[in-house]
Amino acid sequence: MIPILHKPGRYLGMHPSDLANKPYAQYWNPKPAALSQQATAALTRGPVAPSLLPSLEKSAEIFKRPGEYLENGFCLTVNGAMHVTTVIDFPDATPMMFDWWFGWHSDEPQRYKLWHPEAHVHAEWLKKPPLGATGRDAYIGRVSIVDEYLGSTLGRYAIQFQPPEKFGLDAAELKSKNQATAICARIGFGDFPIDAGYLIHYVRRTASGSRMYCRFWLGGPYVAARRGGSIGRVAARLAALVARPSEADARALFVHCNEEMPHLATFLPQIFAEFNNDNA
């Protein structure tokens, strides 16, 4: 793993003063949601055959027919990458709630900590969205710098949100924000100009709420310099070797996602109903 540069004043959890005068203070719950039976079973099973988790290049096909692919699991590939997948149900949530959340939570570190009380430390926009921007307009094309724990390792990551069409996803399905949405991002290191992979959270409306299909592709061929030139290419090759994902990394990411997303599910409809028109 690549170490981060620790910054003073950043810490896990909330001090009493952190939520003083915050209108969303009631949504702070210091205990994350428990792992589901499906997640626990996937961890018990361990790494699966790489052929069960297709590469990023097949993402359009994966999300068009999600039931045909493994829904919960992780693997390591021969070229040094790891693939992670999981599926989370969100009762009473609509896809547009997720667009709102991803545009709202990076405005303040306290908002980000609501999402995972035992792993999220800090979040801020590299460049803040325009005043009044909400939903997809508030996060696509922007970068959120986050400090968070994956397992016992603290990292700082640059989450570079990108438009779904860049990944060839179904534009017709995503046109209706209440029927489907896709949160797509390039994942990089916050302190170094190196990108390490991609994530896609594809959300579809269901009879009881929404279902989120989460997939991550990290390491190996997904590592690249954020800046061009020979120095950047050399740095990317070194990063791919030094930060080569391990089984422990894959497990940590799988657990993290299966804690933060079910935890978000416990309050997303309520916090959206209360604050989706609040652009302050």
Side-chain angles (χ1 to χ4, degrees):
M1 300 296 291
I2 295 180
I4 74 165
L5 304 176
H6 290 269
K7 295 191 176 183
R10 298 188 181 181
Y11 47 86
L12 198 58
M14 297 272 201
H15 293 165
S17 60
D18 291 340
L19 292 173
N21 302 317
K22 297 296 183 185
Y24 51 81
Q26 63 174 308
Y27 297 104
W28 168 248
N29 179 355
K31 183 66 175 176
L35 292 180
S36 68
Q37 289 184 338
Q38 294 88 340
T40 301
L43 289 169
T44 301
R45 182 182 188 185
V48 300
S51 60
L52 295 176
L53 297 179
S55 64
L56 176 69
E57 289 71 25
K58 294 186 177 180
S59 57
E61 178 184 333
I62 294 168
F63 294 111
K64 187 174 291 185
R65 297 187 295 275
E68 297 180 12
Y69 297 91
L70 183 70
E71 292 188 334
N72 289 283
F74 52 90
C75 74
L76 301 174
T77 68
V78 294
N79 60 1
M82 73 176 183
H83 298 169
V84 176
T85 182
T86 194
V87 176
I88 311 293
D89 285 317
F90 284 74
D92 303 320
T94 64
M96 69 182 299
M97 293 180 185
F98 296 88
D99 284 324
W100 170 82
W101 174 258
F102 278 89
W104 184 82
H105 76 259
S106 284
D107 284 359
E108 297 177 315
Q110 294 93 326
R111 297 182 183 186
Y112 187 60
K113 291 184 179 187
L114 296 178
W115 192 1
H116 195 319
E118 293 185 348
H120 288 180
V121 174
H122 189 85
E124 61 184 342
W125 294 111
L126 188 62
K127 183 178 180 181
K128 289 187 177 181
L131 186 65
T134 189
R136 295 175 182 174
D137 293 337
Y139 72 90
I140 293 179
R142 309 194 188 282
V143 181
S144 178
I145 306 296
V146 303
D147 291 14
E148 66 179 18
Y149 282 92
L150 293 178
S152 59
T153 302
L154 179 62
R156 179 170 299 120
Y157 307 104
I159 312 301
Q160 305 153 72
F161 294 105
Q162 300 181 347
E165 54 265 28
K166 186 172 182 178
F167 298 85
L169 302 183
D170 190 343
E173 183 178 45
L174 296 173
K175 186 175 182 179
S176 175
K177 298 178 183 179
N178 247 333
Q179 293 304 313
T181 195
I183 297 93
C184 307
R186 185 75 160 113
I187 306 171
F189 296 103
D191 293 325
F192 307 96
I194 301 295
D195 292 326
Y198 296 86
L199 69 79
I200 298 177
H201 300 317
Y202 203 108
V203 183
R204 281 192 174 92
R205 190 76 178 264
T206 66
S208 59
S210 290
R211 172 165 288 184
M212 174 182 276
Y213 302 87
C214 304
R215 286 190 178 258
F216 300 84
W217 299 267
L218 293 160
Y222 306 113
V223 178
R226 203 172 300 149
R227 300 169 189 165
S230 59
I231 295 177
R233 289 192 292 272
V234 170
R237 286 196 292 270
L238 288 173
L241 292 173
V242 174
R244 187 182 179 98
S246 65
E247 180 181 335
D249 295 326
R251 285 179 175 274
L253 179 57
F254 182 84
V255 169
H256 184 97
C257 191
N258 275 281
E259 288 175 339
E260 70 175 0
M261 292 305 184
H263 192 71
L264 178 61
T266 64
F267 64 86
L268 179 60
Q270 295 78 18
I271 200 171
F272 172 82
E274 189 171 354
F275 294 107
N276 75 91
N277 291 319
D278 180 7
N279 297 316

